[in-house]
Amino acid sequence: MTENADTTAETGPVPEGPGTGVVAAFGRTLKTLRLRAGLDRAECGRRIGYSASTVASFEQGRRIPSPKTIDKADEALGAGGLLSVWKEEVERAQYPVFFQGMAQLEKQAIELLMYDTHVVNGLLQTEEYMRGLLAMRRPPLDQETIEQRVAARLARQEIFDRRPTPLLSFVMDEAVLRHRYGGDDVLRGQLEHLFLVGQKPNVEIQVMPLESEDNAGVNGPFTVVTRKEGKKFVYAETHSTSSLETDPEQTVLAAARYGIIRSQALSPRGSLDFIEGLLGSL
């Protein structure tokens, strides 16, 4: 295949916005190294496990490759690390701008305390549940953005297998577990996943019952992050904006509030029994 035949979409649109410049620059570097290696997109794709059209998307900045894919491309093209050095910046760019700071903190956390009121926390979502949520966005997301968000969210879930293992605590309102986003099959798979993850030794999942008369979390969802040196952060988001609180007084108060929320919710064992009961009713 000639290079001319391989560039039918070369003038395709490149998304705009913060982080896009990094992705576009990586794409140009990938293309330069591919041409230097004398490969068309089809052969490059075969070597890294993607189609020619996906390689084109990478080169044009329309799709963001995973760190593992970048390493594969570096090896396949004999780039000697020229692609791999982009991994951290490209990985950060795969997240919405408002979440990029939090994504970095997750990688440094020794403890995460998460309270959710609307949807299952992203770290606990199944792929089918993710797709169900993203498909409901208005205005609608294009398919490439959906694929990018799914891949990024799944990559975050590597935190469960990280060593040393961080302590992960989730409290969610009962309503979160009853919403049939995506349909009964999606909900069933999500509940089964929660039941399994909740049995990990470093994970606690708790449910705040609808019948509870007390809930210190009425102000909405939030996450408390603790890094290795003990510094705490409080993250909260709404719509397409977020806040990251670093004031020591506020972060300590948020952690204390989370402790109260946890005490008001069902116990971890009782919560798993509750989830099992919901599964039996589907």
Side-chain angles (χ1 to χ4, degrees), residues 203-256:
V203 176
E204 287 191 344
I205 294 177
Q206 294 178 252
V207 177
M208 178 69 75
L210 289 173
E211 63 185 23
S212 177
E213 295 183 359
D214 295 301
N215 183 350
V218 290
N219 286 340
F222 65 98
T223 297
V224 180
V225 186
T226 304
R227 291 197 312 205
K228 185 176 182 179
E229 79 280 13
K231 185 173 178 60
K232 293 183 184 296
F233 303 80
V234 180
Y235 174 81
E237 65 180 55
T238 177
H239 299 291
S240 294
T241 61
S242 66
S243 64
L244 192 61
E245 179 65 67
T246 59
D247 178 71
E249 180 180 355
Q250 295 304 315
T251 59
V252 168
L253 287 174

Coordinates of all heavy atoms in Angstrom, one line a residue, residues 203-256:
V203 N -10.6 -3.4 50.3 CA -11.7 -2.6 49.9 C -12.9 -2.8 50.8 O -13.2 -3.9 51.3 CB -12.2 -3.1 48.5 CG1 -13.4 -2.4 48.0 CG2 -11.1 -2.9 47.4
E204 N -13.6 -1.7 51.1 CA -14.8 -1.7 51.9 C -15.9 -1.0 51.1 O -15.7 0.2 50.7 CB -14.7 -1.0 53.3 CG -13.8 -1.9 54.2 CD -13.9 -1.3 55.7 OE1 -14.4 -0.1 55.8 OE2 -13.6 -2.0 56.6
I205 N -17.0 -1.6 50.8 CA -18.1 -1.0 50.2 C -19.3 -1.0 51.1 O -19.6 -2.0 51.7 CB -18.5 -1.8 48.9 CG1 -17.4 -1.8 47.9 CG2 -19.8 -1.3 48.3 CD1 -17.7 -2.6 46.6
Q206 N -19.9 0.2 51.3 CA -21.0 0.3 52.2 C -22.2 1.1 51.5 O -22.0 1.9 50.6 CB -20.6 1.1 53.5 CG -19.6 0.4 54.3 CD -19.2 1.2 55.5 OE1 -18.0 1.7 55.6 NE2 -20.0 1.4 56.5
V207 N -23.4 0.7 51.9 CA -24.6 1.3 51.3 C -25.3 2.1 52.4 O -25.5 1.7 53.5 CB -25.5 0.1 50.9 CG1 -26.8 0.7 50.3 CG2 -24.9 -0.7 49.8
M208 N -25.7 3.3 51.9 CA -26.5 4.2 52.8 C -27.9 4.0 52.4 O -28.4 4.3 51.3 CB -26.1 5.7 52.5 CG -26.9 6.7 53.3 SD -26.6 6.7 55.1 CE -25.0 7.6 55.1
P209 N -28.7 3.4 53.3 CA -30.1 3.0 53.0 C -31.0 4.2 52.8 O -30.8 5.2 53.5 CB -30.5 2.2 54.3 CG -29.3 2.0 55.1 CD -28.3 3.0 54.7
L210 N -32.0 4.0 51.9 CA -32.9 5.1 51.7 C -33.7 5.4 53.0 O -34.2 6.5 53.2 CB -33.9 4.6 50.6 CG -33.4 4.6 49.2 CD1 -34.4 4.0 48.2 CD2 -33.0 6.0 48.7
E211 N -33.9 4.4 53.8 CA -34.7 4.6 55.1 C -33.9 5.2 56.2 O -34.5 5.5 57.2 CB -35.2 3.2 55.5 CG -34.1 2.3 55.9 CD -34.7 0.9 56.3 OE1 -35.8 0.5 55.9 OE2 -33.9 0.2 57.1
S212 N -32.6 5.5 55.9 CA -31.8 6.1 57.0 C -32.3 7.5 57.3 O -32.6 8.3 56.4 CB -30.3 6.2 56.6 OG -29.6 6.9 57.5
E213 N -32.5 7.8 58.6 CA -33.0 9.1 59.0 C -31.8 10.1 59.2 O -32.1 11.3 59.3 CB -33.8 9.0 60.3 CG -35.0 8.2 60.2 CD -35.8 8.1 61.5 OE1 -35.3 8.7 62.5 OE2 -36.9 7.5 61.5
D214 N -30.6 9.7 59.2 CA -29.4 10.5 59.3 C -28.4 10.3 58.2 O -28.1 9.1 57.9 CB -28.8 10.3 60.7 CG -29.6 10.7 61.8 OD1 -30.0 11.9 61.9 OD2 -29.9 9.8 62.7
N215 N -27.9 11.4 57.6 CA -26.9 11.2 56.5 C -26.1 12.5 56.5 O -26.6 13.5 56.1 CB -27.6 11.0 55.2 CG -26.6 10.7 54.1 OD1 -25.4 10.9 54.3 ND2 -27.0 10.3 52.9
A216 N -24.9 12.4 57.0 CA -24.0 13.6 57.0 C -23.5 14.0 55.6 O -22.8 14.9 55.4 CB -22.8 13.3 57.9
G217 N -23.9 13.2 54.6 CA -23.5 13.5 53.2 C -24.5 14.2 52.3 O -24.4 14.1 51.1
V218 N -25.4 14.8 53.0 CA -26.5 15.5 52.2 C -26.0 16.6 51.3 O -26.7 17.0 50.3 CB -27.6 16.1 53.1 CG1 -28.4 14.9 53.8 CG2 -27.0 17.0 54.2
N219 N -24.8 17.1 51.5 CA -24.3 18.1 50.6 C -23.7 17.6 49.3 O -23.4 18.3 48.4 CB -23.1 18.9 51.3 CG -23.7 19.8 52.3 OD1 -24.9 20.2 52.3 ND2 -22.9 20.3 53.2
G220 N -23.7 16.2 49.1 CA -23.3 15.7 47.9 C -22.1 14.8 47.9 O -21.4 14.7 48.9
P221 N -21.7 14.2 46.8 CA -20.6 13.3 46.7 C -19.2 14.0 46.8 O -19.1 15.2 46.4 CB -20.7 12.7 45.3 CG -21.5 13.7 44.5 CD -22.4 14.3 45.5
F222 N -18.2 13.3 47.3 CA -16.9 13.8 47.4 C -15.9 12.7 47.7 O -16.3 11.6 48.0 CB -16.8 14.9 48.6 CG -17.0 14.3 49.9 CD1 -15.9 14.0 50.8 CD2 -18.3 14.1 50.4 CE1 -16.1 13.5 52.0 CE2 -18.5 13.6 51.7 CZ -17.4 13.3 52.5
T223 N -14.6 13.0 47.4 CA -13.6 12.0 47.7 C -12.5 12.6 48.5 O -12.1 13.8 48.2 CB -13.0 11.5 46.3 OG1 -14.0 10.8 45.6 CG2 -11.8 10.6 46.5
V224 N -12.0 11.9 49.5 CA -10.8 12.3 50.3 C -9.7 11.4 49.9 O -9.7 10.2 49.9 CB -11.1 12.2 51.8 CG1 -9.8 12.7 52.6 CG2 -12.3 13.0 52.2
V225 N -8.6 12.1 49.4 CA -7.4 11.4 49.0 C -6.3 11.6 50.0 O -6.0 12.8 50.4 CB -6.9 11.9 47.6 CG1 -5.7 11.0 47.1 CG2 -8.0 11.9 46.6
T226 N -5.6 10.6 50.4 CA -4.4 10.7 51.3 C -3.2 10.2 50.6 O -3.2 9.0 50.1 CB -4.6 10.0 52.6 OG1 -5.8 10.4 53.3 CG2 -3.4 10.2 53.6
R227 N -2.2 11.0 50.5 CA -0.9 10.6 49.9 C 0.0 10.0 50.9 O -0.2 10.1 52.1 CB -0.2 11.7 49.1 CG -0.9 12.2 47.9 CD -0.1 13.1 47.0 NE 0.6 14.1 47.7 CZ 1.1 15.2 47.1 NH1 0.8 15.5 45.9 NH2 1.7 16.1 47.8
K228 N 1.1 9.4 50.4 CA 2.0 8.7 51.3 C 2.6 9.5 52.4 O 2.7 9.1 53.6 CB 3.2 8.1 50.5 CG 4.1 7.2 51.3 CD 5.2 6.6 50.3 CE 6.1 5.7 51.1 NZ 7.2 5.1 50.2
E229 N 2.8 10.8 52.2 CA 3.4 11.7 53.2 C 2.4 12.2 54.2 O 2.7 13.0 55.1 CB 4.2 12.9 52.6 CG 3.3 14.0 52.1 CD 2.6 13.8 50.7 OE1 2.7 12.6 50.3 OE2 2.1 14.7 50.1
G230 N 1.1 11.8 54.0 CA 0.0 12.2 54.9 C -0.8 13.3 54.4 O -1.9 13.6 55.1
K231 N -0.4 14.0 53.4 CA -1.2 15.2 52.9 C -2.6 14.7 52.3 O -2.6 13.7 51.6 CB -0.4 15.9 51.8 CG -1.1 17.2 51.3 CD -0.3 18.0 50.4 CE -1.0 19.3 49.9 NZ -1.3 20.2 51.0
K232 N -3.6 15.4 52.7 CA -5.0 15.1 52.2 C -5.5 16.1 51.2 O -5.1 17.3 51.3 CB -5.9 15.0 53.4 CG -5.6 13.9 54.4 CD -6.7 13.8 55.5 CE -6.4 12.8 56.5 NZ -6.4 11.4 56.0
F233 N -6.4 15.6 50.3 CA -7.0 16.4 49.3 C -8.5 16.0 49.3 O -8.9 14.9 49.6 CB -6.5 16.2 47.9 CG -5.0 16.5 47.8 CD1 -4.1 15.5 48.2 CD2 -4.5 17.7 47.3 CE1 -2.7 15.7 48.1 CE2 -3.1 17.9 47.2 CZ -2.2 16.9 47.6
V234 N -9.4 17.0 49.0 CA -10.8 16.7 48.9 C -11.2 17.1 47.5 O -11.0 18.2 47.0 CB -11.7 17.5 49.9 CG1 -13.1 17.1 49.7 CG2 -11.2 17.2 51.3
Y235 N -11.7 16.1 46.8 CA -12.2 16.3 45.4 C -13.7 16.2 45.3 O -14.3 15.3 45.9 CB -11.5 15.2 44.5 CG -12.0 15.3 43.0 CD1 -11.5 16.2 42.1 CD2 -13.0 14.4 42.6 CE1 -11.9 16.2 40.8 CE2 -13.4 14.5 41.3 CZ -12.9 15.4 40.4 OH -13.3 15.4 39.1
A236 N -14.3 17.1 44.5 CA -15.7 17.1 44.3 C -16.0 17.6 42.9 O -15.2 18.5 42.4 CB -16.5 17.9 45.3
E237 N -17.0 17.1 42.2 CA -17.3 17.6 40.8 C -18.8 17.7 40.6 O -19.6 17.0 41.3 CB -16.7 16.6 39.8 CG -17.3 15.2 39.7 CD -16.6 14.4 38.7 OE1 -15.4 14.3 38.7 OE2 -17.3 13.8 37.8
T238 N -19.1 18.5 39.7 CA -20.5 18.7 39.3 C -20.5 19.1 37.8 O -19.8 20.0 37.4 CB -21.3 19.7 40.2 OG1 -22.6 19.9 39.7 CG2 -20.6 21.1 40.2
H239 N -21.4 18.5 37.1 CA -21.5 18.8 35.6 C -20.1 18.6 35.0 O -19.5 17.5 35.2 CB -22.0 20.2 35.3 CG -23.4 20.3 35.8 ND1 -24.5 19.7 35.3 CD2 -23.9 21.1 36.9 CE1 -25.6 20.0 35.9 NE2 -25.3 20.8 36.9
S240 N -19.5 19.6 34.4 CA -18.2 19.4 33.8 C -17.1 20.3 34.5 O -16.2 20.7 33.9 CB -18.2 19.7 32.3 OG -19.0 18.8 31.6
T241 N -17.3 20.5 35.8 CA -16.4 21.2 36.6 C -16.0 20.5 37.9 O -16.7 19.5 38.2 CB -16.9 22.6 37.0 OG1 -18.1 22.4 37.8 CG2 -17.3 23.4 35.8
S242 N -14.9 20.8 38.5 CA -14.5 20.1 39.7 C -13.8 21.1 40.6 O -13.4 22.2 40.2 CB -13.6 19.0 39.4 OG -12.4 19.4 38.8
S243 N -13.6 20.7 41.9 CA -12.8 21.4 42.8 C -11.9 20.5 43.5 O -12.2 19.3 43.8 CB -13.7 22.2 43.8 OG -14.4 21.2 44.6
L244 N -10.7 21.0 43.9 CA -9.7 20.2 44.6 C -9.3 21.0 45.8 O -8.5 21.9 45.6 CB -8.6 19.8 43.7 CG -7.6 18.7 44.2 CD1 -8.3 17.4 44.4 CD2 -6.5 18.5 43.2
E245 N -9.7 20.6 47.0 CA -9.5 21.4 48.2 C -8.2 20.9 48.8 O -8.0 19.7 49.0 CB -10.6 21.3 49.2 CG -10.4 22.0 50.5 CD -10.4 23.5 50.3 OE1 -11.4 24.1 49.9 OE2 -9.3 24.0 50.6
T246 N -7.3 21.8 49.2 CA -6.0 21.4 49.8 C -5.8 22.0 51.2 O -4.9 21.7 51.9 CB -4.8 21.8 48.9 OG1 -4.9 23.3 48.7 CG2 -4.9 21.2 47.6
D247 N -6.7 22.9 51.6 CA -6.6 23.5 52.9 C -6.7 22.5 54.0 O -7.6 21.7 54.0 CB -7.7 24.5 53.1 CG -7.7 25.2 54.5 OD1 -6.8 26.0 54.7 OD2 -8.6 24.8 55.3
P248 N -5.7 22.4 54.9 CA -5.6 21.3 55.9 C -6.9 21.2 56.7 O -7.4 20.2 57.1 CB -4.4 21.7 56.7 CG -3.5 22.5 55.8 CD -4.5 23.2 54.9
E249 N -7.4 22.4 57.1 CA -8.6 22.4 58.0 C -9.8 21.7 57.3 O -10.5 20.9 57.8 CB -9.0 23.8 58.4 CG -10.2 23.9 59.3 CD -10.6 25.3 59.7 OE1 -9.8 26.2 59.4 OE2 -11.6 25.5 60.4
Q250 N -10.0 22.1 56.0 CA -11.1 21.6 55.2 C -11.0 20.1 54.9 O -11.9 19.4 54.9 CB -11.3 22.4 53.9 CG -11.7 23.9 54.2 CD -12.9 24.0 55.0 OE1 -13.9 23.3 54.7 NE2 -12.9 24.9 56.0
T251 N -9.7 19.7 54.6 CA -9.5 18.3 54.3 C -9.7 17.4 55.6 O -10.3 16.3 55.5 CB -8.1 18.0 53.7 OG1 -7.1 18.5 54.7 CG2 -8.0 18.8 52.4
V252 N -9.3 17.9 56.7 CA -9.5 17.1 58.0 C -11.0 17.0 58.3 O -11.5 16.0 58.7 CB -8.7 17.7 59.1 CG1 -9.2 17.1 60.5 CG2 -7.2 17.5 58.9
L253 N -11.7 18.1 58.1 CA -13.1 18.1 58.3 C -13.9 17.2 57.4 O -14.8 16.5 57.8 CB -13.7 19.5 58.2 CG -13.3 20.5 59.3 CD1 -13.8 21.9 59.0 CD2 -13.9 20.0 60.7
A254 N -13.4 17.2 56.1 CA -14.1 16.3 55.1 C -13.8 14.8 55.5 O -14.7 14.0 55.4 CB -13.5 16.5 53.7
A255 N -12.6 14.5 56.0 CA -12.3 13.1 56.4 C -13.2 12.7 57.6 O -13.7 11.6 57.7 CB -10.8 13.0 56.7
A256 N -13.4 13.7 58.5 CA -14.2 13.4 59.7 C -15.7 13.2 59.3 O -16.4 12.3 59.8 CB -14.1 14.6 60.7

